[in-house]
Structure formats: C-alpha cells, structure tokens
C-alpha cells in the first residue's frame, strides 16, 4: 500500500527548532513534504501560491504571532506550538480555531507526538469538511426536493419542512404550518399511534399508508417513509422523512377497479345472453331435427299406408287360398298317421295367421278408425290373447285376474290385440326363459281397469324408453316396429294410457289403463 505523504508548512523563526524538526523527520523517515517559513511575512508569501495539508506554527514569531496566520482564514488545520508556561496562549489559540497545540520542551520531546497530532488534525479536518459537504447536500436536497420532506419532534411539533410539504398540505407558508401540530393532520389518530410505534421499535418505517387532512379539509392519500432521530443515549427525540402523495394513483386504482367490475358484469351479462342464444339455437336445431324426423316418419307411414291399401287385396287373396288349402288338406289327411305332414300343415297355418296379422297391423295403423264401443270382458281378452301366443316350456306363466271386474266399453278385437302384442314382446324378451305375469285389477279412485303384463327378460335400455311407442322403431331382427305403436293408438283412442317400467337385466312391466266409462260413445 502506497504511503500517503502530507504537505506540511512549518512557521518557525528559531533556527535551532527548525534544525530539530528537519533532523526528526529525516531520522524517523516521516512522509512529510515540508516547507519552513521563518516569519509571518514569509509564510504569507508562501501561502499565496501554495496549499498545504497542515500548518505547524510557533505562537511567538519575530514579526507577529500565530494569530496573524489565523487571520488569513486558511483552509487547512493549524497546530500551535508554544514555549513552556504558555498554556494560556494555547487555550486561546484553540478557541480561535486551532486544531491542537504542543508545548515545547528543551529536549524537543514534543516532536515525538507530532506525527500523531498531525494525523489527528488532518483526519479531523477532513471529517469536518465531509460533514459540511454532507450538510450542504442535505440542505440542498431538503430545499429543492419535489417530494415533501419534514423534521418533527417526538411529540409531533414541526421543527422544519420544505416548500413541497407546505404546498402538499395546502398551507400558505411554513409559519402557517408551524401553528398546526402533526397529529392534527392525521385523519385517524390511531394511525399516528401505530405509525410512531413502528418507527420507535424498528428505527424506521417505509411507505406507511396515512390519510392526511389538508388545510381546506380535503383528505389526501399518502405514503410516509420515516426514520427515528435519537440522542446519545438512544432515546427517540423526533422523526424525519418524506411524504409521497398517491391520491391520484388511488383514484386511478379505484376507477380501474370500478371499470373492471363493470366489465365483469357486462361479460357475465353477455355470457348469459350467449348461453341463452346458444340454448335457443340448440332447441331450434333439436326441434328442426325432430320435425325432420317426424316428417320422414310421416312420409314413411304415408308410403306404408299407400302400399298397404294397394297390395292388401293381392296378398290376402293368395293367403286365403293357402289357408283354405291347409284346412282342406287337414280334413282329408286327418286320419293320416304321418306326424311330419301334420306338423308342416300346422306351420303353414301359423305362418298364414302371422302374415294376415301383419297385413292387418299395416292397414289398421294407416286407416282412420271409427271408434266402436261394445261391452268387453277384460279378463276374457287377456286369456284369449295368452292362448294365441306360443309359450315356450322354459317360461313360467302366472295369472292373477281379478274376478267381478266391471265390463268396459271398447272394441274387443283391438283390446285383445293390445294384450297379444305386449305378451308376444314379453316372450321374445326371455330367450333363456323366465317368468311371465299377467294381472288385472280395478282402480276405483281413478276410474280405471288396469292390465299388468310383466316379464323377467332383458329389459329396455334407458335410451330406448322414449322410442318404443314410435312407429317403425324396433330392435328385433324380424318385425316392422308397429306393434306397440298400434297398442298406444288403440288404448289412447278409448281415453286410456300405457305405462312402462323397465330395468336392464331384470325385466319389464307394461300397465294398460282403460277407463271404466268411455270418453265417447
């Protein structure tokens, strides 16, 4: 590390003391670049053209005293040397600005403490200069800062503030503001207590939010950054800091928050509108799809009706011939023991009946029926329908037909065909066998006769429950899907209804409800 060399001016008129100084510096290798003046006049001439880090001056000189040097107001520390017994002079020198003093002794021992004295004097001077510069900078900042700057006592009395603080708080002058205590400016005094408590505990507070009251009564939003001012014992004696006005920022935030809330409301409203429009579009699409499907079904049904009415005669005529031939062969061959012949004749008879029934279904669905009201025995219709269906051996039939059922007014053949279709479907739903239950009952409260037909078959999937009564809907490999549609048509024509309960894997129950008194006779 390079040794710092000090520029030293020694003002000494005693030649012996001059030589002693030179010898001491040389022998001790002290880093001084020194100049020696023998009088006040010589010193003044030197100082006019040179500057020094420190000046060592003897009090009593041939043409004056050390006080003549002080009068020059030199910007360098001065150390005064005096003879023994001149302590009073040394004290006066300290009073007028000397950094230190040394009392000479005959053995020149005072020179041994000279280096330390010089070092201390230079350090002290530099510290004073630094402090002065710092105070000047702080003073400049304090006066010119655009942010309000303040100094207060611990009790809340103003000690100083800059013009920006006066302007922020709406006062005409510093003197005007000095008349108001700091706590009186707080909108909420509790905020003042919390604020000072934080500073006292932490030593500072950064951007503490405070609402202050201006002279005109208007409340402003601020952030105050403060530090505690303490005495030598560490006691808080006041506060100093800056104030930042964020009133406009808060208003902008509030406006932004309000705008955001309004936007959210509009977005929600628009979302609801779009959802409603979407639902309407979905509903329109569904309705159009349903209308298209209904139109397609109507066209298909119209085609079926036209087809049925056109070929019914052509089909039934050969079927009648076949039926008559089967009957004739049956009478002629009744004594024949060939079982195979009898079996095939029975098959022919059954197929012809099924074909006739299919043609009848087509014609019945296509035509507009005239209601026929005749007294019908419900139990008889159920029994005849059951006897007309081939029941496999693996199906157990249970009947519970209520006796003394009142007769209803309806078309017996149509009633029997309703039961026949439902029973046939139940048998088809139990390919592996099961249980078929038929029950009739009277619901006097509702004025209905109820026919229940239940099976333990495959059940109807949920997605098909709304379709089973639609014309041409079927899940069978054979069939055209008119059976249940006809059942619904017949029952509805007489003011009744059909209810269905089903669970996949457990079975299905159809309940036909017919009024005991017809809707029209």
């Amino acid at each position: 590390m390079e040794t710092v060399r000090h520029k030293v001016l020694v003002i000494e008129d005693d030649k012996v003391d001059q030589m002693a100084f030179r010898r001491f510096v040389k022998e001790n290798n002290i880093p001084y670049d020194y100049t020696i003046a023998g009088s006040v006049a010589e010193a003044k001439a030197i100082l006019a053209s040179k500057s020094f880090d420190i000046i060592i001056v003897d009090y009593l000189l041939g043409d004056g005293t050390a006080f003549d040097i002080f009068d020059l107001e030199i910007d360098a520390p001065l150390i005064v040397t005096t003879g023994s017994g001149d302590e009073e002079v040394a004290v006066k020198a300290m009073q007028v600005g000397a950094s230190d003093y040394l009392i000479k002794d005959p053995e020149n021992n005072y020179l041994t403490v000279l280096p330390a004295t010089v070092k201390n004097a230079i350090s002290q001077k530099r510290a004073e200069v630094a402090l002065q510069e710092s105070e000047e900078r702080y003073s400049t900042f304090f006066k010119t800062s655009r942010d309000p700057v303040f100094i207060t006592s611990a009790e809340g009395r103003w000690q100083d503030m800059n013009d920006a603080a006066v302007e922020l708080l709406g006062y005409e002058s510093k003197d005007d503001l000095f008349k108001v205590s700091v706590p009186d400016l707080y909108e909420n005094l509790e905020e003042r207590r919390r604020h000072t408590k934080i500073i006292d505990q932490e030593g500072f507070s950064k951007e503490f939010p405070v609402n202050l009251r201006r002279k005109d009564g208007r409340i402003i939003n601020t952030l105050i950054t403060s530090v505690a001012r303490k005495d030598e014992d560490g006691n808080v004696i006041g506060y100093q800091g800056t104030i930042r006005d964020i009133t406009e920022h808060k208003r902008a935030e509030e406006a932004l928050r309000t705008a955001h809330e309004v936007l959210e409301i509009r977005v929600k409203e628009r979302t609801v509108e779009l959802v409603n429009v979407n639902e309407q579009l979905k509903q329109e699409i569904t309705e159009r799809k349903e209308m298209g499907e209904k139109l397609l079904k109507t066209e298909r049904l119209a085609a079926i009706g036209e087809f049925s009415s056109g070929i019914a005669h052509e089909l039934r005529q050969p079927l009648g011939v076949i039926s008559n031939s089967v009957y004739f062969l049956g009478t002629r061959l009744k004594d024949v023991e060939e079982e195979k012949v009898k079996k095939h004749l029975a098959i022919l008879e059954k197929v012809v009946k099924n074909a006739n029934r299919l043609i009848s279904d087509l014609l019945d669905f296509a035509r507009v029926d005239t209601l026929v009201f005749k007294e019908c025995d419900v139990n008889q219709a159920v029994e005849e329908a059951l006897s007309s269906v081939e029941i496999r051996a693996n199906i157990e039939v249970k009947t519970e037909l209520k006796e003394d059922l009142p007769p209803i007014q309806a078309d017996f053949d149509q009633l029997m065909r309703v039961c026949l279709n439902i029973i046939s479907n139940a048998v088809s739903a139990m390919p592996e066998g099961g249980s078929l239950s038929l029950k009739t009952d009277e619901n006097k409260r509702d004025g209905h006769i109820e026919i229940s037909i239940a099976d333990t078959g495959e059940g109807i999937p949920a997605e098909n429950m709304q379709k089973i009564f639609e014309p041409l809907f079927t899940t069978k490999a054979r069939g055209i899907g008119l059976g249940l549609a006809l059942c619904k048509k017949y029952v509805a024509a007489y003011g009744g209804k059909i209810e269905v309960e089903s669970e996949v894997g457990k079975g299905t129950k159809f309940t036909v409800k017919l009024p005991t008194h017809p809707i029209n006779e």
Side-chain angles (χ1 to χ4, degrees), residues 332-501:
R332 294 296 302 269
L333 301 175
K334 63 181 179 179
D335 297 328
V336 177
E337 296 180 0
E338 184 76 37
E339 291 298 325
K340 191 173 183 179
V341 173
K342 293 181 179 179
K343 178 180 178 182
H344 281 283
L345 286 174
I347 291 172
L348 281 172
E349 185 177 7
K350 180 179 178 181
V351 169
V352 170
K353 285 183 179 179
N354 287 340
N356 271 318
R357 189 173 66 185
L358 178 60
I359 292 172
S360 296
D361 286 348
L362 288 169
L363 291 173
D364 288 349
F365 192 82
R367 78 162 62 98
V368 178
D369 292 325
T370 300
L371 297 182
V372 177
F373 292 96
K374 293 182 180 179
E375 192 173 276
C376 296
D377 185 333
V378 174
N379 286 341
Q380 181 184 352
V382 173
E383 290 171 342
E384 289 193 18
L386 179 62
S387 65
S388 300
V389 179
E390 182 180 352
I391 308 296
R392 296 189 301 277
N394 61 357
I395 296 177
E396 179 187 7
V397 178
K398 301 176 182 178
T399 59
E400 187 180 342
L401 306 181
K402 181 177 177 63
E403 297 180 357
D404 301 326
L405 278 180
I408 63 171
Q409 298 293 320
D411 187 311
F412 182 84
D413 290 337
Q414 289 181 351
L415 179 59
M416 188 186 72
R417 287 177 67 183
V418 169
C419 298
L420 178 64
N421 278 331
I422 297 175
I423 293 171
S424 296
N425 287 344
V427 172
S428 298
M430 297 184 287
E432 304 300 326
S435 175
L436 174 64
S437 300
L438 296 94
K439 179 181 177 181
T440 60
D441 201 357
E442 180 182 8
N443 187 329
K444 293 183 178 180
R445 185 186 62 183
D446 295 338
H448 284 131
I449 298 297
E450 297 181 356
I451 305 170
S452 298
I453 302 172
D455 63 68
T456 58
E458 300 168 343
I460 303 171
E463 62 269 20
N464 290 341
M465 286 292 287
Q466 300 298 323
K467 303 177 183 178
I468 57 175
F469 291 109
E470 294 180 3
L472 307 179
F473 176 79
T474 181
T475 58
K476 298 179 182 178
R478 296 181 180 180
I480 60 174
L482 289 177
L484 289 177
L486 278 171
C487 291
K488 183 177 180 181
K489 178 183 177 182
Y490 291 153
V491 172
Y494 291 97
K497 60 182 178 179
I498 303 178
E499 296 177 353
V500 187
E501 302 171 40

